[in-house]
Short mmCIF file of all heavy atoms in Angstrom, two decimals:
data_model
loop_
_atom_site.label_atom_id
_atom_site.label_comp_id
_atom_site.label_asym_id
_atom_site.label_seq_id
_atom_site.Cartn_x
_atom_site.Cartn_y
_atom_site.Cartn_z
N ALA A 166 88.58 103.23 95.98
CA ALA A 166 89.66 104.08 95.45
C ALA A 166 89.57 104.15 93.92
O ALA A 166 89.66 105.23 93.34
CB ALA A 166 91.02 103.54 95.88
N CYS A 167 89.38 103.01 93.28
CA CYS A 167 89.26 103.01 91.82
C CYS A 167 87.97 103.69 91.38
O CYS A 167 87.94 104.37 90.35
CB CYS A 167 89.34 101.59 91.26
SG CYS A 167 91.02 100.90 91.30
N ARG A 168 86.90 103.54 92.16
CA ARG A 168 85.63 104.19 91.84
C ARG A 168 85.83 105.71 91.81
O ARG A 168 85.35 106.38 90.92
CB ARG A 168 84.57 103.78 92.85
CG ARG A 168 83.28 104.58 92.83
CD ARG A 168 82.54 104.62 91.52
NE ARG A 168 82.10 103.32 91.07
CZ ARG A 168 81.68 103.08 89.83
NH1 ARG A 168 81.62 104.04 88.95
NH2 ARG A 168 81.31 101.89 89.47
N VAL A 169 86.58 106.24 92.77
CA VAL A 169 86.85 107.69 92.80
C VAL A 169 87.62 108.10 91.55
O VAL A 169 87.30 109.11 90.91
CB VAL A 169 87.61 108.08 94.09
CG1 VAL A 169 88.15 109.49 94.00
CG2 VAL A 169 86.71 107.92 95.30
N VAL A 170 88.64 107.33 91.18
CA VAL A 170 89.44 107.65 89.99
C VAL A 170 88.56 107.65 88.75
O VAL A 170 88.60 108.58 87.93
CB VAL A 170 90.62 106.67 89.82
CG1 VAL A 170 91.31 106.86 88.48
CG2 VAL A 170 91.62 106.84 90.96
N VAL A 171 87.74 106.62 88.59
CA VAL A 171 86.88 106.51 87.40
C VAL A 171 85.86 107.64 87.38
O VAL A 171 85.67 108.29 86.35
CB VAL A 171 86.19 105.14 87.35
CG1 VAL A 171 85.12 105.10 86.27
CG2 VAL A 171 87.23 104.05 87.09
N ASP A 172 85.20 107.91 88.50
CA ASP A 172 84.20 108.98 88.55
C ASP A 172 84.82 110.34 88.26
O ASP A 172 84.27 111.14 87.50
CB ASP A 172 83.50 109.01 89.91
CG ASP A 172 82.57 107.83 90.10
OD1 ASP A 172 82.25 107.13 89.11
OD2 ASP A 172 82.17 107.59 91.26
N THR A 173 85.98 110.60 88.85
CA THR A 173 86.65 111.88 88.63
C THR A 173 87.10 112.02 87.18
O THR A 173 86.92 113.09 86.57
CB THR A 173 87.86 112.02 89.57
OG1 THR A 173 87.40 111.90 90.91
CG2 THR A 173 88.57 113.35 89.38
N THR A 174 87.65 110.97 86.63
CA THR A 174 88.09 111.01 85.23
C THR A 174 86.90 111.20 84.30
O THR A 174 86.96 111.99 83.35
CB THR A 174 88.85 109.72 84.86
OG1 THR A 174 89.95 109.57 85.78
CG2 THR A 174 89.38 109.77 83.44
N ARG A 175 85.81 110.51 84.57
CA ARG A 175 84.60 110.64 83.75
C ARG A 175 84.10 112.09 83.78
O ARG A 175 83.76 112.66 82.74
CB ARG A 175 83.52 109.68 84.24
CG ARG A 175 82.26 109.72 83.41
CD ARG A 175 81.22 108.72 83.89
NE ARG A 175 81.59 107.41 83.38
CZ ARG A 175 81.61 106.29 84.10
NH1 ARG A 175 81.31 106.32 85.39
NH2 ARG A 175 81.93 105.15 83.55
N ARG A 176 84.06 112.69 84.96
CA ARG A 176 83.61 114.09 85.08
C ARG A 176 84.56 115.04 84.35
O ARG A 176 84.12 115.99 83.71
CB ARG A 176 83.49 114.49 86.54
CG ARG A 176 82.21 114.02 87.16
CD ARG A 176 82.01 114.61 88.55
NE ARG A 176 81.81 113.48 89.43
CZ ARG A 176 82.56 113.16 90.47
NH1 ARG A 176 83.53 113.92 90.85
NH2 ARG A 176 82.31 112.09 91.17
N THR A 177 85.85 114.79 84.46
CA THR A 177 86.83 115.63 83.78
C THR A 177 86.66 115.56 82.27
O THR A 177 86.67 116.58 81.58
CB THR A 177 88.26 115.22 84.18
OG1 THR A 177 88.39 115.32 85.60
CG2 THR A 177 89.30 116.08 83.49
N VAL A 178 86.50 114.35 81.74
CA VAL A 178 86.32 114.18 80.30
C VAL A 178 85.04 114.86 79.85
O VAL A 178 85.01 115.57 78.82
CB VAL A 178 86.31 112.68 79.93
CG1 VAL A 178 85.85 112.46 78.50
CG2 VAL A 178 87.69 112.07 80.15
N ARG A 179 83.95 114.68 80.60
CA ARG A 179 82.68 115.32 80.25
C ARG A 179 82.82 116.84 80.24
O ARG A 179 82.37 117.51 79.31
CB ARG A 179 81.58 114.90 81.22
CG ARG A 179 80.21 115.43 80.81
CD ARG A 179 79.08 115.01 81.75
NE ARG A 179 79.15 113.63 82.13
CZ ARG A 179 79.20 113.20 83.41
NH1 ARG A 179 79.19 114.06 84.41
NH2 ARG A 179 79.26 111.92 83.69
N PHE A 180 83.47 117.39 81.27
CA PHE A 180 83.67 118.84 81.34
C PHE A 180 84.47 119.33 80.13
O PHE A 180 84.13 120.32 79.50
CB PHE A 180 84.40 119.20 82.64
CG PHE A 180 84.80 120.64 82.71
CD1 PHE A 180 83.86 121.61 82.99
CD2 PHE A 180 86.11 121.03 82.48
CE1 PHE A 180 84.21 122.95 83.03
CE2 PHE A 180 86.48 122.37 82.53
CZ PHE A 180 85.52 123.33 82.80
N TYR A 181 85.54 118.62 79.82
CA TYR A 181 86.39 119.01 78.69
C TYR A 181 85.60 118.98 77.38
O TYR A 181 85.67 119.90 76.58
CB TYR A 181 87.60 118.07 78.61
CG TYR A 181 88.48 118.35 77.42
CD1 TYR A 181 89.37 119.42 77.44
CD2 TYR A 181 88.42 117.55 76.29
CE1 TYR A 181 90.18 119.68 76.35
CE2 TYR A 181 89.23 117.82 75.19
CZ TYR A 181 90.10 118.88 75.23
OH TYR A 181 90.88 119.14 74.15
N ARG A 182 84.84 117.91 77.16
CA ARG A 182 84.07 117.79 75.91
C ARG A 182 82.99 118.86 75.80
O ARG A 182 82.72 119.37 74.72
CB ARG A 182 83.44 116.41 75.82
CG ARG A 182 84.45 115.33 75.50
CD ARG A 182 83.82 113.97 75.44
NE ARG A 182 84.81 112.97 75.08
CZ ARG A 182 84.65 111.68 75.25
NH1 ARG A 182 83.54 111.21 75.77
NH2 ARG A 182 85.61 110.84 74.89
N GLU A 183 82.36 119.20 76.91
CA GLU A 183 81.29 120.19 76.90
C GLU A 183 81.82 121.62 76.82
O GLU A 183 81.09 122.53 76.45
CB GLU A 183 80.41 120.02 78.13
CG GLU A 183 79.60 118.74 78.11
CD GLU A 183 78.87 118.47 79.41
OE1 GLU A 183 79.02 119.26 80.37
OE2 GLU A 183 78.14 117.45 79.46
N SER A 184 83.08 121.83 77.18
CA SER A 184 83.65 123.17 77.21
C SER A 184 84.01 123.70 75.83
O SER A 184 84.15 124.90 75.64
CB SER A 184 84.91 123.19 78.07
OG SER A 184 84.59 122.91 79.39
N GLY A 185 84.20 122.82 74.88
CA GLY A 185 84.66 123.26 73.57
C GLY A 185 86.14 123.56 73.63
O GLY A 185 86.82 123.30 74.62
N VAL A 186 86.64 124.13 72.57
CA VAL A 186 88.07 124.43 72.48
C VAL A 186 88.35 125.74 73.21
O VAL A 186 87.73 126.75 72.95
CB VAL A 186 88.52 124.54 71.00
CG1 VAL A 186 89.98 124.94 70.90
CG2 VAL A 186 88.25 123.22 70.29
N LEU A 187 89.28 125.67 74.13
CA LEU A 187 89.69 126.86 74.87
C LEU A 187 91.15 127.14 74.55
O LEU A 187 91.97 126.24 74.53
CB LEU A 187 89.54 126.64 76.37
CG LEU A 187 88.14 126.29 76.87
CD1 LEU A 187 88.20 125.94 78.35
CD2 LEU A 187 87.19 127.43 76.63
N ARG A 188 91.47 128.37 74.29
CA ARG A 188 92.86 128.76 74.03
C ARG A 188 93.44 129.32 75.31
O ARG A 188 92.81 130.09 76.01
CB ARG A 188 92.92 129.84 72.94
CG ARG A 188 92.48 129.41 71.57
CD ARG A 188 93.48 128.58 70.83
NE ARG A 188 94.77 129.26 70.78
CZ ARG A 188 95.86 128.71 70.29
NH1 ARG A 188 95.83 127.51 69.81
NH2 ARG A 188 96.99 129.37 70.28
N MET A 189 94.68 128.93 75.59
CA MET A 189 95.36 129.51 76.73
C MET A 189 96.03 130.81 76.28
O MET A 189 96.31 130.99 75.09
CB MET A 189 96.37 128.52 77.31
CG MET A 189 97.56 128.21 76.43
SD MET A 189 98.76 127.12 77.23
CE MET A 189 97.92 125.56 77.09
N PRO A 190 96.28 131.72 77.20
CA PRO A 190 96.96 132.96 76.85
C PRO A 190 98.31 132.67 76.18
O PRO A 190 99.01 131.73 76.56
CB PRO A 190 97.15 133.67 78.19
CG PRO A 190 96.09 133.10 79.06
CD PRO A 190 95.91 131.67 78.61
N GLU A 191 98.67 133.48 75.19
CA GLU A 191 99.87 133.23 74.39
C GLU A 191 101.13 133.15 75.25
O GLU A 191 101.97 132.27 75.03
CB GLU A 191 100.03 134.31 73.32
CG GLU A 191 101.21 134.04 72.42
CD GLU A 191 101.36 135.09 71.33
OE1 GLU A 191 100.61 136.07 71.32
OE2 GLU A 191 102.27 134.91 70.50
#
Side-chain angles (χ1 to χ4, degrees):
C167 286
R168 169 56 62 194
V169 168
V170 171
V171 170
D172 289 346
T173 302
T174 304
R175 182 178 280 134
R176 279 189 235 120
T177 302
V178 169
R179 186 179 316 124
F180 173 76
Y181 177 78
R182 287 179 177 163
E183 292 172 358
S184 295
V186 177
L187 302 173
R188 294 284 306 174
M189 68 176 76
E191 184 178 4

